[in-house]
Amino acid sequence: MSSADFIRLEDLARDGRLRGQRVFIRADFNVPLDSDGRITDDTRIRAALPGIRLCLEHGATVLLSSHLGRPQEGALHAQDSLAPVAARLGELLGTAVALVGDWVGGAFGAAAGSVTMLENCRGNRGEKADDARLAACIASWIDIYVNDAFGTAHRAECTTHALALAAPLACAGPLMAAELDALGRALAAPARPLVAVVGGSKVSTKLAVLEGLAERVDVLVVGGGIANTFLAAQGCAVGTSLHEAGLIDAAARISRRLAARGARLWLPDDVVTADRCAADARITVRASDAIGADEMILDIGPASRVALSGVLAAAGTVVWNGPLGVFELAPFAAGTQALAEAIAASPGYSIAGGGDTLAAIGAFGVGAQIDYISTGGGAFLEFLEGRELPAVAALRARAHPHSRRIAPGTHFENEPEAA
């Protein structure tokens, strides 16, 4: 994906086009809260700061929108409010951030150069349905739309898609632009060999990702329960290991596709097994084709760790999603730790994403050595599948010199269904 595919907020700032403008930023403030409504991790709020500060520094009035949780449209409750986010954002910016409840019609005051938080956008009727009429209403009182929420880019909703098409001007914020640059570098024009590591428990949750990657990678590394299904597809007994018998044919099909392209499927030659998934379980190292009927595979073995490190050392690009074993338990963490450290040491460009992956990166302290860590979960996976993300499609459309704003009442029957 080239920089010409979308307009960047930085472009508008450089050209002096933010001064005096009402800038609507769709951010991702879907932060975790404890039972008392206190924020337990403000990473997503901090990630939005560069875009907000860029607007303020160039004389814009900032209007922030985000979802939080899954509220019922038209019936927000106290636990759905962005009030904690507004308070924390104000602390980080060192300025008051007002929270506005009824904002769709734009009938609220926002002083020039101020920052205003607009209450949970999923409380608005028509948000999930990607309602073009709702988008046209909001677009009537803003000057610039900014999408800085890659984590929601796979959803065709009003503030992620329809509003981008309706606004007078639409662009990508710094966080969104960085994600698209990184993913484009990793998948659209990667340095070769391109190695993708896909771990996790089930093939079913990542079948589309595996099929998409099988069409473009040089080496596909599979781990965790996913690897067990692929081992079963090769005729290996997997004992009591987590695997999906109903997807053995799918695993075999992916293996054949890789082979037909001259690409490689990497599976462990040895594994760590146990009689049960517990920290005090009795563990054994076995060849992958020598698993006992009462054993379960819970990690890759020492020989496989060495072999995988060699594959990653030779990689030009590495894409990582998912652990290789039950890394939360010490006896089964060595494989994922070796993976994390090998990717960190690899001279190739590395990008990682997904909740379990981020947890592993944190657990093994390699975050500073990964070239790019994606903020998106579902969006990251759908990008790996090769899908056009609705929010990105809208930004692409608005970057075209002959693009036109949508008209009120427009419907999007052919757009992806909101997740």
Side-chain angles (χ1 to χ4, degrees), residues 324-350:
L324 300 185
V326 187
F327 74 95
E328 298 87 350
L329 300 178
F332 316 114
T336 302
Q337 180 172 0
L339 168 67
E341 292 174 349
I343 293 176
S346 173
Y349 178 77
S350 56

Side-chain angles (χ1 to χ4, degrees), residues 57-72:
E57 289 166 3
H58 287 81
T61 299
V62 178
L63 309 166
L64 296 166
S65 172
S66 176
H67 73 286
L68 179 63
R70 298 177 180 272
Q72 179 182 350

Side-chain angles (χ1 to χ4, degrees), residues 281-297:
R282 174 172 49 85
I283 65 172
T284 308
V285 175
R286 301 279 193 201
S288 298
D289 59 357
I291 308 305
D294 60 347
E295 293 179 315
M296 61 176 62
I297 302 170

Side-chain angles (χ1 to χ4, degrees), residues 20-36:
Q21 301 297 289
R22 292 166 65 93
V23 178
F24 182 105
I25 301 178
R26 177 45 162 104
D28 183 4
F29 294 141
N30 190 32
V31 296
L33 304 172
D34 64 18
S35 58
D36 295 320

Side-chain angles (χ1 to χ4, degrees), residues 116-165:
T116 300
M117 182 74 68
L118 308 176
E119 190 57 279
N120 197 328
C121 61
R122 286 195 180 165
N124 298 329
R125 296 188 186 278
E127 171 66 18
K128 293 286 288 181
D130 196 24
D131 192 325
R133 290 163 296 185
L134 174 61
C137 180
I138 299 170
S140 68
W141 49 266
I142 67 174
D143 300 306
I144 299 171
Y145 167 86
V146 180
N147 193 325
D148 212 18
F150 178 76
T152 65
H154 59 307
R155 298 190 177 106
E157 298 180 356
C158 180
T159 57
T160 62
H161 178 258
L163 184 55
L165 296 174

